[in-house]
Amino acid sequence: MLGRVLDRVRVFGVGDLPVELRGWSREVGEVDFEYLPTVSEAFSPCPTHRDVYVRRVLGLQPRVNESLSIGRALHELFLAPLRLVNRVSAGDVIEELSSLKTQLLSDLPRDLVGFGKVVFEASSRILMDLVYDGYPIPVAVEPSLEGTVIGFSDVIRPDLVIGSVPVEVVVSDNPDYLARKELALAVYGMAVEAHLSNPVNYGVLVVINPRVQTMQFRHVVLSDSLRREAIKERNEVARIVSRRDDPGPAPKCPDSCPLKDVCRGVGNVEVNSV
């Protein structure tokens, strides 16, 4: 499993992508507003960024709905086995995985337990590749990287970094949201570049779709155009919060947005009257 993922990235080559916006580029670190957004704020499902306005300016918080809870559970089912890297010996891996699997599957509705097993086992195979096949590749789950050097919040935490390749896990069937997650990958790539001072040209998007119960590994080229779009979104969010500027509700709120009902209820409220 791990070999197939990394071999596909190697096919593209290293250092052969013409990119101007690297993590160490001055243009990347330059900001026009005081507020530095998080990656999740800049690339949430909301296309107008009104969710950030509602949270940061109006101070309203979403209720955790069933869809969000399922997303979190599936997300953790993939990452949890990889948290065992460097923590357990080869002789203890199977026992640790069995206990972890039982615990995590209890957080899923009954009709998704079978799919949850598929997600967990895919991640477990990567772990066993690392433990048993001796891949000499550093793996970090949710590492803390400096965000301010690329104009984001203090700490940036990609889901996973294998070697220098950022990996983002997304639970969704919304193509627009998946495109936004590719922008997040570009930011993670720039954060790794700033940390390692080495170019990062590719990332991996792990797409978990609970509706049709499929799982895909997508290899994403971290091109200049993707990086520029990511910086544009970062600046837009920073402007909205710094200027307290209500962008208005999205024409069609994604069902995955936990603030959908809150945004509709608030309408175009004057900030001073709240």
Side-chain angles (χ1 to χ4, degrees):
M1 173 68 75
L2 177 61
R4 289 198 298 272
V5 172
L6 295 180
D7 286 345
R8 180 67 183 276
V9 172
R10 289 192 197 101
V11 166
F12 293 118
V14 177
D16 56 357
L17 187 69
V19 170
E20 294 180 5
L21 290 181
R22 295 290 186 185
W24 55 79
S25 302
R26 189 166 125 187
E27 184 179 349
V28 171
E30 289 180 342
V31 294
D32 297 325
F33 301 98
E34 181 179 351
Y35 185 74
L36 301 180
T38 66
V39 175
S40 60
E41 286 173 342
F43 309 111
S44 74
C46 182
T48 67
H49 301 300
R50 192 160 198 256
D51 58 339
V52 182
Y53 172 81
V54 168
R55 276 194 178 104
R56 297 299 186 187
V57 177
L58 300 185
L60 301 177
Q61 296 300 320
R63 294 185 299 272
V64 178
N65 56 33
E66 183 182 13
S67 176
L68 188 60
S69 297
I70 290 173
R72 288 175 176 173
L74 288 170
H75 187 273
E76 184 59 18
L77 272 164
F78 184 83
L79 288 183
L82 295 168
R83 298 184 196 279
L84 299 178
V85 173
N86 302 323
R87 294 185 184 180
V88 296
S89 64
D92 295 330
V93 168
I94 300 300
E95 182 179 350
E96 290 285 343
L97 285 174
S98 178
S99 174
L100 192 60
K101 182 178 181 180
T102 300
Q103 174 189 339
L104 293 174
L105 288 176
S106 65
D107 293 332
L108 283 178
R110 183 174 299 178
D111 61 332
L112 282 176
V113 168
F115 179 54
K117 292 178 180 178
V118 172
V119 173
F120 185 88
E121 288 164 5
S123 178
S124 297
R125 287 196 295 272
I126 296 177
L127 172 68
M128 288 188 281
D129 283 348
L130 291 163
V131 173
Y132 295 130
D133 294 344
Y135 276 91
I137 300 171
V139 174
V141 179
E142 297 180 336
S144 297
L145 303 176
E146 176 62 45
T148 55
V149 294
I150 59 171
F152 280 84
S153 59
D154 291 347
V155 178
I156 285 180
R157 290 189 176 90
D159 283 335
L160 183 66
V161 177
I162 301 178
S164 61
V165 177
V167 179
E168 174 75 348
V169 182
V170 55
V171 181
S172 180
D173 62 353
N174 184 330
D176 293 332
Y177 185 40
L178 297 181
R180 296 178 70 74
K181 282 297 187 178
E182 292 189 2
L183 298 178
L185 262 184
V187 172
Y188 294 139
M190 289 186 285
V192 173
E193 287 174 338
H195 180 69
L196 299 178
S197 298
N198 286 320
V200 177
N201 292 340
Y202 309 98
V204 176
L205 199 63
V206 181
V207 182
I208 299 172
N209 186 337
R211 185 176 63 83
V212 295
Q213 301 193 5
T214 59
M215 181 177 179
Q216 298 177 326
F217 290 83
R218 298 186 184 180
H219 301 81
V220 180
V221 179
L222 306 182
S223 63
D224 245 344
S225 60
L226 200 67
R227 295 164 187 252
R228 291 188 185 281
E229 183 64 24
I231 296 301
K232 178 182 175 182
E233 293 292 297
R234 178 201 72 185
N235 294 343
E236 179 68 7
V237 172
R239 180 190 64 78
I240 288 170
V241 177
S242 296
R243 295 183 178 176
R244 304 174 66 84
D245 185 10
D246 186 350
K252 182 179 180 182
C253 293
D255 290 336
S256 56
C257 180
L259 278 168
K260 179 175 65 175
D261 294 335
V262 176
C263 286
R264 288 174 178 171
V266 170
N268 292 314
V269 175
E270 293 291 334
V271 174
N272 292 335
S273 66
V274 176

